[in-house]
Amino acid sequence: MKTEFVIIGGGLSGLYAAYLLEQQGKDYILLEGRNRLGGRIYTEDQFDMGPSWFWPDMHPRITQLIDELHLPVFPQHDKGAFLFDKYENKAPLRYESGYAGSPPSMRVAGGMQTVIDGIKTKLTDEHIICNAKATHVEYYAEHSAEHQDRYSIVTAEINGATQTIQTRQVIFAMPLRLLANSIKFTPALPKQVQNKFAATATWMAAHAKFFAVYDTPFWRETGLSGSASSQVGPLAEIHDASTIDATNSATSSGNGALFGFVGIDAHTRQSAGNELIKSLAVKQLVRMYGEQAAQPIDVKLVDWSQKILTATDADKNAPSAHPHYGLRDIHSALIPVNQQGWYFAGTESAEENGGYIEGALEAAEMVMSRVKL
Ligand SMILES: Cc1cc2nc3c(=O)[nH]c(=O)nc-3n(C[C@H](O)[C@H](O)[C@H](O)COP(=O)(O)OP(=O)(O)OC[C@H]3O[C@@H](n4cnc5c(N)ncnc54)[C@H](O)[C@@H]3O)c2cc1C
């Protein structure tokens, strides 16, 4: 195969780069290692196992993209009392004043996956290859008296078979640490670049998200918002995750749901196993929200630290604060790498909004301003 651009990674950043290339009428192939697009954006039955929120006051790119795709949005439900779960054998403390997020966060009806599905409709199907894991990128510069030819050969496992693609420019749109860990570069990346990538924590890769789905958001009937924090666990931070059409009426077509970030570290989660965590999480919800929480119609748990196309072993240890992302500090080391036609997108490459979905778009835009169109 031969093409002008190869994009490695079909998360939001890679897909947005594809969208921008498509708008310019460029030839490209996007390789996605999983059998689905979206990467950390992953919605099961309208429930966002990855990102749920965007913040219009802070994040203009994603706000505009959602608008462009005509996707309905709704505010995160936070009206009502907030619970603080401090003691294992006592009812949680209840704060009637509630806790409103600031700036206000918004959700996408049907889940964040609809953004991915929306972008996908703008792309040419033949350009997108799933089950295609890139393993090696090799740069060639051939000089002769008549001409000079520069290109890269990308090797990928596509549906289990090794294939190569010749291309002039490669856009890497995956977590930088995973990149350093899982793709072979010939020639090797400069040491400074390798070290930077290996040291860049993949945002939220250490975390796990748990959902309990109910017929209705019954906690709203007793004046609770669903928002809570807990020092007991296993869920450390809880929010209402009901679908857009959930109401208190039993005839509603939507579902009530609560989600929580699991507060147990990745190593302990792995040895405990998902089933134990799920049952302890339901017990916690009963302690906090009452007996009605005991019979969810569904429970879901996604542990991102165990997803090998997101997290490396190093990502099992969560950073203590939001890291300062971006590649500005290795700018000069990247110049020769960019000259080879290799560029780095993915939210961890974004200078201003690294980590967020906004950063995934920012990084794709930044790369598009640098590639040769
Ligand atoms: C639990 C959780 C909650 C979050 N909450 C929020 C939130 O509320 N708001 C917010 O703004 N952000 C949130 N985030 C962060 C947000 O999900 C990311 O910023 C964004 O999705 C990153 O997109 P990306 O395209 O840069 O990377 P990714 O989504 O990680 O995409 C990388 C892609 O590359 C693929 N890939 C990896 N290796 C290879 C390979 N060798 N070959 C081919 N393909 C490969 C992967 O399968 C993946 O599809 C959350 C993340 C998580 C996990």
Side-chain angles (χ1 to χ4, degrees):
M1 279 189 275
K2 208 169 170 181
T3 185
E4 183 66 21
F5 292 87
V6 168
I7 301 170
I8 301 179
L12 181 62
S13 200
L15 287 168
Y16 193 59
Y19 181 36
L20 299 175
L21 285 175
E22 194 108 15
Q23 284 171 351
Q24 304 266 352
K26 296 293 166 187
D27 190 38
Y28 70 91
I29 289 174
L30 181 148
L31 300 173
E32 167 51 50
R34 289 176 161 105
N35 62 3
R36 63 169 181 86
L37 297 171
R40 276 170 275 179
I41 295 183
Y42 175 50
T43 307
E44 260 184 33
D45 310 323
Q46 299 197 50
F47 300 107
D48 281 316
M49 310 308 298
S52 335
W53 300 311
F54 71 105
W55 292 268
D57 291 353
M58 294 196 305
H59 293 162
R61 293 176 184 85
I62 186 66
T63 306
Q64 193 192 319
L65 179 63
I66 287 170
D67 201 43
E68 214 172 292
L69 296 171
H70 306 293
L71 301 175
V73 299
F74 63 110
Q76 167 63 35
H77 180 85
D78 57 13
K79 306 232 166 353
F82 178 86
L83 294 179
F84 180 43
D85 183 35
K86 203 169 175 197
Y87 309 104
E88 202 164 341
N89 300 316
K90 280 192 186 169
L93 305 171
R94 179 174 168 134
Y95 294 91
E96 294 304 331
S97 53
Y99 178 81
S102 174
S105 50
M106 298 294 288
R107 294 174 56 199
V108 182
M112 204 56 89
Q113 189 80 37
T114 60
V115 176
I116 299 298
D117 298 343
I119 300 179
K120 175 73 174 43
T121 62
K122 311 270 183 197
L123 307 179
T124 310
D125 281 348
E126 297 74 57
H127 291 179
I128 311 292
I129 311 180
C130 284
N131 286 317
K133 186 172 180 284
T135 53
H136 188 188
V137 180
E138 205 166 0
Y139 174 70
Y140 291 88
E142 290 168 357
H143 304 272
S144 71
E146 301 84 54
H147 78 291
Q148 188 182 353
D149 203 9
R150 295 156 183 261
Y151 59 91
S152 292
I153 298 288
V154 177
T155 305
E157 294 297 315
I158 303 183
N159 290 315
T162 305
Q163 295 199 33
T164 54
I165 306 170
Q166 183 175 330
T167 187
R168 296 217 173 268
Q169 302 181 75
V170 184
I171 299 173
F172 299 90
M174 50 188 279
L176 297 172
R177 185 181 261 169
L178 183 65
L179 188 63
N181 206 268
S182 61
I183 294 196
K184 183 177 172 198
F185 293 88
T186 308
L189 293 173
K191 230 10 262 138
Q192 200 191 345
V193 175
Q194 285 181 40
N195 292 344
K196 167 79 182 181
F197 286 5
T200 301
T202 303
W203 183 238
M204 295 303 285
H207 294 276
K209 228 171 148 178
F210 167 86
F211 280 74
V213 182
Y214 300 95
D215 284 327
T216 62
F218 59 84
W219 49 94
R220 295 184 191 174
E221 289 164 24
T222 54
L224 292 173
S225 62
S227 309
S229 87
S230 173
Q231 288 182 348
V232 182
L235 306 177
E237 182 187 323
I238 301 170
H239 299 273
D240 186 305
S242 306
T243 56
I244 186 172
D245 43 4
T247 68
N248 294 334
S249 140
T251 55
S252 158
S253 57
N255 282 115
L258 291 166
F259 97 75
F261 290 107
V262 181
I264 305 167
D265 70 85
H267 299 281
T268 313
R269 288 200 306 267
Q270 193 160 6
S271 44
N274 284 1
E275 291 315 307
L276 178 60
I277 294 169
K278 283 180 188 171
S279 78
L280 292 174
V282 172
K283 278 192 187 138
Q284 177 184 359
L285 295 180
V286 173
R287 186 179 72 245
M288 295 180 68
Y289 296 91
E291 270 308 312
Q292 272 179 289
Q295 302 294 339
I297 54 177
D298 193 14
V299 291
K300 298 172 184 294
L301 177 67
V302 169
D303 189 334
W304 289 94
S305 71
Q306 291 172 32
K307 302 290 177 200
I308 56 164
L309 287 171
T310 297
T312 66
D313 271 352
D315 288 308
K316 289 198 162 68
N317 301 312
S320 53
H322 196 118
H324 185 78
Y325 286 119
L327 301 176
R328 205 172 276 146
D329 53 337
I330 53 162
H331 173 75
S332 12
L334 278 175
I335 292 172
V337 181
N338 292 161
Q339 281 164 351
Q340 289 173 183
W342 296 353
Y343 300 90
F344 302 94
T347 190
E348 283 78 17
S349 301
E351 303 296 336
E352 309 295 335
N353 302 285
Y356 296 104
I357 50 181
E358 177 78 0
L361 302 178
E362 179 197 327
E365 265 180 21
M366 185 264 301
V367 161
M368 292 306 295
S369 70
R370 295 192 181 159
V371 297
K372 289 174 195 67
L373 289 171

